[in-house]
Amino acid sequence: MTALRNAVVLVTGANGGLGRAFVADALQRGAAKVYASARTPRDDWNDPRIVPLTLDINSPESVAAAAEQAADTTVLINNAGILDGGLPTLSTPLDAMRSVFETNVFAQLSVIQTFAPVLARNDGGAVINVHSALSWLGVGPYSASKAAFWSFSNVLRVELLEQKTHLLGAHLGYTDTPMIEALDVPKEDPRDIVTAIFDGLEAGEHEVLADDTSRQVKQGLSGPLSALYPQLQTAS
């Protein structure tokens, strides 16, 4: 189990709605310090425990510099990511899809590989990887990238055991953040999502399904494909 009290937390994508909720809840749970990282970090945080940190997860140099500056990190939260703008997989140029995978998969791995030695030096600590209910429901390049990241998390979870680092995978559906503000769909409160994720971390869980959407989609994996993809019923 990993307690947030007295932890040193680093949040990627801290400027976004979910990122801000991670920062606020970590402090509420007694974190000693929170590195609020982004490509252009906010400088208007109103708590002295918050340290703005410049971090572009797509830049190995930036990731290495952040690991050096935040060498006391004990909990790493991989929250940064991008959407695909609804790209159709069949007709989208590969370069456009590669950019989604570069950010949502390979940049995440770069951050974990770079910070793993930091966590090891700080008694193991924990990693939280923010996935999606779309890890299990294919609707385009974004969901494919999240599925790949989820699979990597399952691999990393076992490999990190050797250095006593706990890895938690967090899955969620639509959440009320600036990233998806244009979508006219029901959305969860990011504070509720983060509460569920941190509760799971402190309980020692390996995976958190943070809302009804993620629970329903994962449950559907045990059924026929036509249950997840109704289009297949009309095509047969």
Side-chain angles (χ1 to χ4, degrees):
M1 295 183 290
T2 302
L4 273 300
R5 179 166 298 279
N6 297 322
V8 178
V9 180
L10 188 148
V11 182
T12 69
N15 289 358
L18 201 61
R20 293 196 301 271
F22 274 123
V23 171
D25 200 351
L27 293 176
Q28 186 174 353
R29 292 174 189 246
K33 183 191 298 183
V34 178
Y35 291 105
S37 77
R39 284 177 293 180
T40 305
R42 293 172 50 187
D43 58 5
D44 60 348
W45 297 101
N46 58 2
D47 190 303
R49 292 173 293 172
I50 300 175
V51 180
L53 179 67
T54 299
L55 174 55
D56 178 356
I57 65 170
N58 289 106
S59 165
E61 295 79 14
S62 179
V63 174
E68 184 174 346
Q69 182 174 344
D72 53 349
T73 298
T74 62
V75 177
L76 169 67
I77 303 177
N78 285 310
N79 168 65
I82 60 171
L83 294 175
D84 63 11
L87 298 174
T89 306
L90 196 60
S91 57
T92 297
L94 288 180
D95 283 347
M97 288 195 280
R98 284 191 182 100
S99 68
V100 177
F101 274 74
E102 284 293 339
T103 298
N104 290 349
V105 182
F106 299 113
Q108 312 292 339
L109 292 175
S110 172
V111 172
I112 296 170
Q113 288 177 340
T114 304
F115 273 87
V118 173
L119 297 173
R121 290 193 296 269
N122 296 323
D123 299 323
V127 174
I128 296 176
N129 286 340
V130 177
H131 299 302
S132 169
L134 294 180
S135 302
W136 305 311
L137 183 64
V139 294
Y142 173 82
S143 60
S145 72
K146 285 296 188 178
F149 187 30
W150 172 58
S151 185
F152 271 121
S153 288
N154 291 332
V155 173
L156 291 164
R157 181 177 293 112
V158 175
E159 291 188 5
L160 287 168
L161 286 176
E162 186 175 346
Q163 64 173 52
K164 299 181 180 179
T165 297
H166 180 82
L167 190 148
L168 170 68
H171 296 265
L172 52 140
Y174 291 122
T175 305
D176 192 10
T177 67
M179 181 180 285
I180 63 166
E181 62 184 354
L183 297 182
D184 185 18
V185 294
K187 301 169 186 174
E188 301 292 336
D189 188 323
R191 294 171 296 184
D192 294 336
I193 296 297
V194 168
T195 294
I197 293 170
F198 277 159
D199 284 350
L201 177 69
E202 296 195 314
E205 296 179 13
H206 299 293
E207 192 167 69
V208 167
L209 311 184
D211 56 13
D212 287 340
T213 298
S214 56
R215 288 187 284 271
Q216 290 168 4
V217 174
K218 189 173 187 186
Q219 186 176 16
L221 292 177
S222 62
L225 281 175
S226 57
L228 285 175
Y229 303 95
Q231 310 93 311
L232 298 177
Q233 298 179 14
T234 59
S236 59

